[in-house]
Amino acid sequence: MDEVVALDPEAPTVTVAAGITYGQLSPYLHSKDFALHNLASLPHISVAGSCSTATHGSGEKNGNLATAVSALEFVTANGELVKLSRQKDGENFSGVVVGLGALGVVTSITLNIQPTFMMRQYVYENLPLAQVKDHFDAIEASAYSVSLFTDWQKQRFNEVWIKTRIENSQPFNSAPEFFGAKLATRNLHPIAELSAENCTEQMGVPGPWYERLPHFRMGFTPSAGKELQSEYFVPRRHAVEAILAVERLRDQVSPHLMISEIRTIAADDLWMSPCYKQPCAAIHFTWKQDWPAVRKLLPVIEKELAQFNARPHWGKLFTMPPADLKSKYEKVPAFVELCKTYDPRGKFRNEFLNTNIFSS
Ligand SMILES: Cc1cc2nc3c(=O)[nH]c(=O)nc-3n(C[C@H](O)[C@H](O)[C@H](O)COP(=O)(O)OP(=O)(O)OC[C@H]3O[C@@H](n4cnc5c(N)ncnc54)[C@H](O)[C@@H]3O)c2cc1C
C-alpha cells in the first residue's frame, strides 16, 4: 500500500496509501510543484509509521510530521473502515493521529501540502557549548531547520546543520563563522569519521526541500546502520538546562555513544505527541549496539532529565517506568477510552502497549 491516492491542488492536500515512504512521496510531490512542511532525518520511513509515533524533524516553527495530517482512514478490530478528519472530528481526530498502532490499521492518510521550495544546507564545525548556553534561542531561530550534533566531549558541538529555505525573506547569512563555529569546507556525516556519501548535499548547494530536509539520502544506509537510538523531549524553555544536565553525564554517556543530536519542534494538539501543547527541544542519542550497557545508562539519563518532565520518543528505546511515562501525558486516560471505542477487545494490543499505556 504505497501509492498516491489523490492530489488536491486546491486544498492543497495529498492522500496516500499508508505504507508509502517519504522517499517515495516527496519526489512525486515536487514534480507536481508541492512540498511537505518538514521531514525526519531519513526518508526511508513510512508515512503511517512516522505519524503514528510522532516522528519529527527540526525547526522551531515546524510541528512534527503528524501535524500535517488532515484526515485518515483506518480499519478497526471488527473490520469497519473509519474515516476521520481534522475539520469534522475535532478532539477525536487529535487523539487518533499519533495512534501508536493501538486503534486499528491505518490504510490512508491525507497530508497538508504547500508550494514546493528550494533549500540550501550549511554545516559548521565546533560550536562552543558556552555559545549554546548563552545564545540557544538565536541559534535555533537562525534558519528553517537547525540540528546540533555533539559527542558531549570538549565542551563543544561537533557540527551544526543549518537548513534554509531559499525564498525566505530573511535568508540565512552563510558567514564563515556561526557563533564561534567554522563553516565546513566539505560535506560531512553527523559522525564525522563516517563517509558523507550517504548524506544530503551541503556547502550551500541549492536543492529541492526533500533532498535537504533529511540528513540522509534515499537509496543509502541512513545514519550508522548498526545502532540503537533514544530520544527525550523537554519543554523548550528548559532546553539549555537539559543540555547541560546531559553534558554533566558525558563520562558515562560517551563510551556508548556514536553521536547526539539536539533539535527543536513546535507545539501541537495531538494527544500522544511529546509536543502536545508545548514547544520542545529533543535530545537524541545514537548508541553503539550494546543493549546491556545502554539499558543501564538510560535510567541515569532519565533520572537527570526527570526534573524537566522529559518525555521519551515512542519509536526509540527508553526505560522509564510506565507510571512515570503516563504521568507525563495528560491525555493517556482519554486515549485509552478512545482505544476501547475502536478496539474494545484489545485486538491491536501488544506487549509495548500493555506495559506502557494500558497497565493500571
Ligand atoms: C536511522 C534512523 C533515523 C531516524 N531518524 C528519526 C528522526 O529524524 N526523527 C524521529 O522522530 N524519528 C527518527 N527515527 C525513528 C523513526 O522515525 C521511527 O522509528 C518511526 O516509527 C519509523 O517509521 P517506520 O515506518 O519505519 O515505522 P514502523 O516500525 O513501520 O511503524 C512504527 C509504529 O507505527 C505504527 N504503525 C505503522 N504502520 C501503521 C499502520 N498502517 N496503521 C497503524 N499503525 C501503524 C505501529 O505501532 C508501528 O509499531 C529514526 C530511525 C532510524 C532507524
Side-chain angles (χ1 to χ4, degrees), residues 18-19 39-42 44-57 74 99-102 104-107 215-216 222-225 227 229 231 233 261 263 284 313 315-316 350 353:
L39 290 169
S41 72
L42 75 174
H44 309 58
I45 50 182
S46 72
V47 172
S50 302
C51 293
S52 298
T53 54
T55 291
H56 63 97
F74 60 100
L100 308 177
V105 181
V106 177
T107 51
H215 306 327
F216 304 108
S223 192
E227 63 195 56
Q229 300 187 356
E231 190 169 32
F233 298 75
E261 180 179 9
R263 289 175 279 186
H284 164 89
H313 192 306
K316 302 184 183 183
N350 54 32
L353 291 170

Side-chain angles (χ1 to χ4, degrees), residues 129-192:
L129 177 65
Q131 293 283 342
V132 173
K133 199 172 146 200
D134 294 342
H135 304 291
F136 185 74
D137 286 342
I139 289 168
E140 293 303 319
S142 65
Y144 190 72
S145 164
V146 178
S147 285
L148 308 178
F149 289 97
T150 182
D151 57 9
W152 304 104
Q153 294 296 303
K154 301 184 194 159
Q155 304 262 308
R156 54 97 170 90
F157 286 77
N158 310 48
E159 297 176 20
V160 185
W161 287 42
I162 304 250
K163 299 167 193 270
T164 181
R165 286 173 71 136
I166 287 177
E167 90 289 4
N168 253 357
S169 50
Q170 286 180 307
F172 175 73
N173 171 17
S174 61
E177 271 209 27
F178 177 80
F179 294 92
K182 301 273 186 302
L183 190 59
T185 52
R186 62 189 170 95
N187 281 355
L188 288 172
H189 190 287
I191 305 166

Side-chain angles (χ1 to χ4, degrees), residues 228-232 283-285 287 294 298 316-318:
L228 305 175
Q229 300 187 356
S230 306
E231 190 169 32
Y232 298 95
I283 306 177
H284 164 89
F285 303 85
W287 302 112
V294 172
L298 292 183
K316 302 184 183 183
L317 296 164
F318 60 88

